Amino acid sequence: MSNKPTIILDCDPGHDDALAIVVAARYANLLGITTVSGNAPIESTTYNALVMKDLLGLDVPVHKGAIRPLVAPPQYATYVHGESGLDGADLPAPTSTIDSEDAVGYIIDTVRANEGVWLVPTGPLTNIGLALRLAPDIGKRIAGISLMGGGLFGNRTTAAEFNIWVDPEAADIVFNYGGPLVMAGLHLTHQFRATQPRIDRVKALPGQLANVLGDLMQFFTDTYMRRHHGMDGGAVHDPCSVLCLTHPELFGKTAAHVVVELTGEHTRGMTLIDQRDLKEVREANCDVLMTIDAEPAFDLMIDAIAHFSH
Ligand code: BDR
Ligand code: CA
């Protein structure tokens, strides 16, 4: 039996989600891909997931998920990912089609049918929140949830990271679900950047996948460098939530109590990570990733791209 972690990747591709698909396909036992409204509307994130499935030649189902957050109005990240969610490359039209429009049902059924599945959400937490509400039993069946979101600082607002800010009510369900939870927040993912030399290594690889991903990474990094002071590359957030399961030795973490702010005028969508060393702080509900050994982690990602690129 393989000792790869078994995962469902719940994503909103998204440049870094696309890279998370590559890393998941290479290093995890990827059962399926579910999509959510986030970086772009659900039609676009689902289309982009199918593009990636075909580019990698994967035999995994793609299930379309929530068209909008639980309570908040839909919001997109066109300022980072472009109108399509994956601007910057000529994407080959997918021939694969979705397996269903019921990502939440797929997640519930798959977790009930398989022991020890990790849910890996790299977009807003709408699908995962809905699944936990509809089928609370899955909280006890899964190995855990490894999510990209939150952090010690914000990006969409001063306090809030995009994925949590888009659907804070869903995030609140997830942070309270009571089982193993791993969080790749911005303070972690900003250590994992697509610098120009790293992008050039991808561009130098043969094959269509590397060609497309090289262009996507270039677009993503150019956008980041236009929008940020002093960053030498785009922060490749989403693969971190996969790599921390497949290569935990590359990460440093701390256990902490984390809550999601739902009501603050300036802080809605913030993850409040309790770092106080007081004995009275509430029991940890989350492993908060703090450090990544970025060079070997990037090597792994480039090796994964090379593996699928012919
Ligand atoms: C997160 O938001 C999205 O733009 C990225 O795909 C990532 O999941 C970073 O805040
Ligand atoms: Ca994402």
Side-chain angles (χ1 to χ4, degrees), residues 12-292:
D12 61 338
H15 296 67
D16 51 333
D17 301 84
L19 290 163
I21 293 172
V22 178
V23 167
R26 180 72 182 111
Y27 301 120
N29 174 24
L30 178 62
L31 293 182
I33 297 171
T34 52
T35 59
V36 69
S37 171
N39 285 324
I42 188 70
E43 295 301 337
S44 300
T45 58
T46 306
Y47 180 92
N48 296 341
L50 292 170
V51 169
M52 291 308 298
K53 168 178 167 166
D54 285 2
L55 269 174
L56 272 71
L58 299 181
D59 183 20
V60 297
V62 174
H63 295 268
K64 182 177 169 185
I67 62 168
R68 52 155 295 166
L70 296 184
V71 177
Q75 304 274 1
Y76 310 116
T78 46
Y79 49 91
V80 176
H81 301 275
E83 286 295 327
S84 72
L86 270 187
D87 275 16
D90 281 332
L91 302 179
T95 54
S96 293
T97 54
I98 55 169
D99 293 80
S100 87
E101 302 206 349
D102 182 17
V104 173
Y106 167 76
I107 291 169
I108 294 170
D109 292 348
T110 306
V111 164
R112 285 179 175 161
N114 295 273
E115 288 297 326
V117 176
W118 278 93
L119 302 180
V120 182
T122 60
L125 290 157
T126 319
N127 291 335
I128 308 298
L130 282 169
L132 287 165
R133 271 291 181 271
L134 279 168
D137 59 288
I138 67 168
K140 296 234 182 310
R141 288 196 55 80
I142 55 177
I145 300 175
S146 175
L147 65 88
M148 191 283 133
L152 292 166
F153 53 86
N155 57 6
R156 187 57 187 80
T157 71
T158 313
E161 180 278 330
F162 177 78
N163 289 340
I164 308 294
W165 176 83
V166 166
D167 198 341
E169 282 74 20
D172 183 53
I173 295 170
V174 170
F175 276 87
N176 281 303
Y177 95 99
L181 183 62
V182 185
M183 166 182 169
L186 293 175
H187 58 275
L188 181 279
T189 61
H190 276 227
Q191 299 167 40
F192 191 54
R193 296 183 301 279
T195 59
Q196 195 59 52
R198 288 170 175 164
I199 296 171
D200 290 342
R201 284 174 62 195
V202 174
K203 287 182 175 173
L205 294 171
Q208 189 183 25
L209 177 69
N211 191 27
V212 168
L213 288 175
D215 288 347
L216 289 177
M217 288 167 83
Q218 191 68 60
F219 177 93
F220 189 63
T221 273
D222 289 349
T223 307
Y224 258 82
M225 289 177 66
R226 254 199 325 276
R227 297 183 75 237
H228 287 260
H229 294 293
M231 268 183 93
D232 60 358
V236 190
H237 313 276
D238 294 341
C240 297
S241 293
V242 179
L243 287 170
C244 69
L245 300 179
T246 59
H247 297 80
E249 68 281 2
L250 298 179
F251 293 81
K253 63 184 182 186
T254 185
H257 190 79
V258 182
V259 292
V260 177
E261 175 64 278
L262 297 178
T263 55
E265 181 185 349
H266 302 293
T267 52
R268 181 169 151 82
M270 177 182 186
T271 49
L272 258 171
I273 302 167
D274 197 337
Q275 294 190 294
R276 295 174 296 172
D277 61 0
L278 292 172
K279 290 185 179 164
E280 72 202 39
V281 297
R282 291 172 66 188
E283 199 183 330
N285 62 342
C286 185
D287 275 338
V288 182
L289 299 173
M290 299 304 287
T291 59
I292 177 170

